Amino acid sequence: MVGGCHTEISRRVSQSSTATEWVDDSATQVCMNCHARFGVMQFRRKHHCRRCGKVVCNSCSRSRELVADYHPVQPQRVCNSCVASPTVPEIPEE
C-alpha cells in the first residue's frame, strides 16, 4: 500500500535484450501518450517509460513491470501503450 492506495504491480516481464534509449526531456512539452501539457501550473511532471523510452505523464504510466534491463527484481514504470502491447519472447540466436 502506497500513500493509502493499493498499487497493483504487474509481474509481466519485458523480454527486450537491450536498454531502451530515452527520449530527451526537452524534446516534448506534452505527454507522448495523452498529449497533456507538462508544467508546474498543471502539476504534471515528466516521467520515462522503461520499455519504450517515451516521455509520459503519471496518469499514463501508473503500471509497473519487471524490466530486466533496468533491475532484475524491482518493477519499473511502464506506460499504458507498452502495457497494452504484448511482450514478445526473444528467439535465441544460434
Side-chain angles (χ1 to χ4, degrees):
M1 188 178 321
V2 178
C5 298
H6 289 281
T7 304
E8 188 172 319
I9 298 175
S10 170
R11 293 296 172 192
R12 193 168 84 167
V13 179
S14 172
Q15 298 289 331
S16 66
S17 62
T18 59
T20 300
E21 188 173 324
W22 287 3
V23 174
D24 191 86
D25 279 349
S26 63
T28 186
Q29 294 303 312
V30 297
C31 173
M32 297 176 93
N33 281 352
C34 73
H35 308 289
R37 276 193 101 40
F38 293 116
V40 177
M41 298 305 291
Q42 293 82 14
F43 300 108
R44 194 170 291 115
R45 292 181 50 209
K46 295 179 180 183
H47 301 281
H48 284 90
C49 173
R50 301 312 193 265
R51 276 183 62 196
C52 68
K54 288 181 184 176
V55 178
V56 293
C57 67
N58 186 57
S59 295
C60 288
S61 61
R62 293 189 188 274
S63 297
R64 303 293 184 270
E65 291 183 359
L66 295 177
V67 182
D69 295 339
Y70 290 95
H71 198 281
V73 296
Q74 183 179 7
Q76 301 293 310
R77 182 180 297 270
V78 180
C79 74
N80 296 349
S81 296
C82 286
V83 170
S85 69
T87 54
V88 180
E90 289 183 4
I91 299 170
E93 292 183 26
E94 293 182 21

